[in-house]
Amino acid sequence: MKKKTIIRRVLTVIALGLLLSVTIIAPKTGVGAAYTPDMSNGADNFYKSNKVTMKKVKFKNQYNMNVAGNLFIPKGLKNTKNPAIIVGHPMGAVKEQSANLYATKMAERGFVTLSLDLSFWGESEGQPRNAVLPDIYAEDFSAAVDFLGTRPFVDRDRIGVLGICGSGSFAISAAKIDPRMKAIATVSMYDMGAANRNGLKHSQTLEQRKKILEEAAEQRYVEFTGGKTKYTSGTVHELNENSTAIEREFYDFYRTPRGEFTPKGTSPELTTHPTLTSNVKFMNFYPFEDIETISPRPMLFIMGENAHSREFSEDAYKLAAEPKELYIVPGAGHVDLYDRVNLIPFDKLESFFKENLKKK
């Protein structure tokens, strides 16, 4: 078997937990047209509320890049200092997918909230588009604290963070070096570093990892000399009889009206797919290293009972110091907690942030 073929077969597509060729991104055809998404358990990714005012905002990160966000303010909010929560979207997604929903729901419960597009994604700056740079992703969370902490209606001593999927690991990375983040919660977290190095449940060997690195390194020559950019991982564009359960889980959200969103300036063929040459940077990303130093700031890890990603929340919980809590949602999978409002434990999130962002 040719070396390149082996690489394609072994590449673990970690950004969304799928197995997918790095070189083939098929157009949306066939199944998508006839596919009916699963809208059970109150799936409502594009939820809007008449109890909340939303305003588009932009602010600079430390590297002078514009970060785009949506600021949600409860209607009737008094002009006093209020607690605030930053909400980060799943890896490969944008703020309109899951993050806006969480931000809206938490704003209904009295918090000022800010959903943001990570750099290189959505409406935020960064070239090339869909690039992976976990240090910048973490910086974006700190930049969001800069922004919120300078609003006259926000108490800068009561700012929390909530990271969904990959953003859970970016929020932890940020919180380790930014003590202004007073309470940290994650939902359906992916450790993007461990996932790319090892695969789900350590299914990827060192030899397989090296082959991925070799292909990405060779692709740098192609792109440096003006060749076409390659993309990797992300959600498949069609299903067939051989599609895995994880592929189907993500497809149901990202490739159907349930959660599909294509930002201005891109195309559905590229959404959720990071560039191949940058995605290997995740292999140098160790968000749980020194996680215990976040203590005594509290941490809450929320995961579905049936989530394929639960190993990452369990690992983080084991390594974190007190105070910490692992909260398991019965019957829920990984993507279920993106938008199924009847499963998402908003009451738990409200009590966690109210308790830990209260006035001292």
Side-chain angles (χ1 to χ4, degrees):
M1 186 176 293
K2 293 183 179 180
K3 181 178 180 182
K4 191 171 183 179
T5 301
I6 295 172
I7 295 170
R8 289 177 180 173
R9 291 189 177 181
V10 303
L11 177 62
T12 304
V13 182
I14 297 304
L16 294 174
L18 311 180
L19 292 176
L20 176 67
S21 167
V22 303
T23 58
I24 299 175
I25 297 178
K28 184 188 287 187
T29 58
V31 174
Y35 186 93
T36 301
D38 179 2
M39 301 300 290
S40 64
N41 286 300
D44 198 359
N45 178 69
F46 299 105
Y47 174 77
K48 289 181 173 56
S49 173
N50 59 13
K51 301 177 183 178
V52 172
T53 299
M54 191 275 281
K55 177 183 179 183
K56 284 185 171 293
V57 298
K58 286 190 176 180
F59 48 91
K60 298 284 189 182
N61 66 21
Q62 197 174 46
Y63 301 98
N64 209 34
M65 301 165 66
N66 276 320
V67 178
N70 289 335
L71 181 66
F72 297 85
I73 301 175
K75 288 185 177 178
L77 187 74
K78 296 181 180 179
N79 191 24
T80 55
K81 299 292 187 179
N82 298 278
I85 304 169
I86 300 158
V87 184
H89 57 74
M91 176 59 205
V94 289
K95 62 185 180 300
E96 289 80 9
Q97 293 166 310
S98 192
N100 276 355
L101 169 62
Y102 275 78
T104 302
K105 288 289 189 179
M106 297 308 291
E108 285 184 331
R109 293 164 183 255
F111 299 92
V112 174
T113 60
L114 174 66
S115 65
L116 70 158
D117 280 329
L118 297 175
S119 293
F120 310 102
W121 299 89
E123 296 178 290
S124 289
E125 286 187 343
Q127 293 291 337
R129 303 309 294 164
N130 298 22
V132 168
L133 194 49
D135 283 349
I136 292 291
Y137 296 166
E139 161 59 24
D140 291 340
F141 279 90
S142 287
V145 177
D146 298 339
F147 173 80
L148 285 174
T150 53
R151 300 310 97 186
F153 47 86
V154 170
D155 185 342
R156 64 173 57 181
D157 293 322
R158 293 193 290 156
I159 297 175
V161 292
L162 168 58
I164 304 162
C165 187
S167 276
S169 60
F170 310 143
I172 288 172
S173 180
K176 288 191 298 182
I177 59 173
D178 193 338
R180 299 174 302 170
M181 300 175 189
K182 301 301 183 182
I184 298 90
T186 69
V187 176
S188 289
M189 179 169 56
Y190 252 76
D191 174 348
M192 296 306 302
N196 276 275
R197 286 187 298 274
N198 307 320
L200 293 172
K201 298 181 179 178
H202 291 256
S203 59
Q204 182 169 271
T205 67
L206 176 59
E207 183 60 28
Q208 289 170 336
R209 183 198 309 176
K210 288 180 177 180
K211 291 182 185 301
I212 295 168
L213 294 174
E214 287 171 7
E215 182 168 0
E218 287 300 313
Q219 179 62 21
R220 289 182 66 114
Y221 285 128
V222 174
E223 294 175 17
F224 185 79
T225 54
K228 188 176 180 180
T229 300
K230 275 190 179 181
Y231 298 86
T232 186
S233 61
T235 304
V236 297
H237 290 265
E238 54 183 27
L239 299 176
N240 56 48
E241 64 277 6
N242 297 318
S243 298
T244 67
I246 296 176
E247 285 176 323
R248 294 176 185 277
E249 182 181 6
F250 282 110
Y251 180 96
D252 192 78
F253 182 79
Y254 285 110
R255 302 299 180 206
T256 76
R258 176 182 161 197
E260 193 279 331
F261 186 86
T262 302
K264 184 179 179 180
T266 188
S267 68
E269 286 71 33
L270 295 182
T271 58
T272 77
H273 300 291
T275 63
L276 170 63
T277 55
S278 70
N279 196 62
V280 295
K281 288 180 171 56
F282 275 138
M283 295 192 187
N284 270 344
F285 181 50
Y286 293 83
F288 298 168
E289 189 74 25
D290 294 330
I291 190 176
E292 72 278 5
T293 63
I294 293 174
S295 177
R297 289 172 289 155
M299 304 191 73
L300 170 65
F301 307 99
I302 296 174
M303 68 180 192
E305 177 186 22
N306 302 321
H308 66 263
S309 59
R310 61 179 292 165
E311 62 185 284
F312 304 119
S313 293
E314 291 171 336
D315 288 347
Y317 175 75
K318 180 179 179 181
L319 294 169
E322 297 288 351
K324 60 181 178 180
E325 182 176 358
L326 181 64
Y327 186 92
I328 301 173
V329 181
H334 176 89
V335 179
D336 287 335
L337 300 185
Y338 283 14
D339 67 332
R340 300 195 191 283
V341 296
N342 295 344
L343 294 176
I344 298 170
F346 287 113
D347 288 345
K348 179 62 180 178
L349 286 166
E350 178 183 7
S351 64
F352 172 76
F353 283 116
K354 279 190 172 178
E355 172 63 25
N356 295 299
L357 297 180
K358 64 186 178 183
K359 288 184 178 181
K360 301 298 184 180

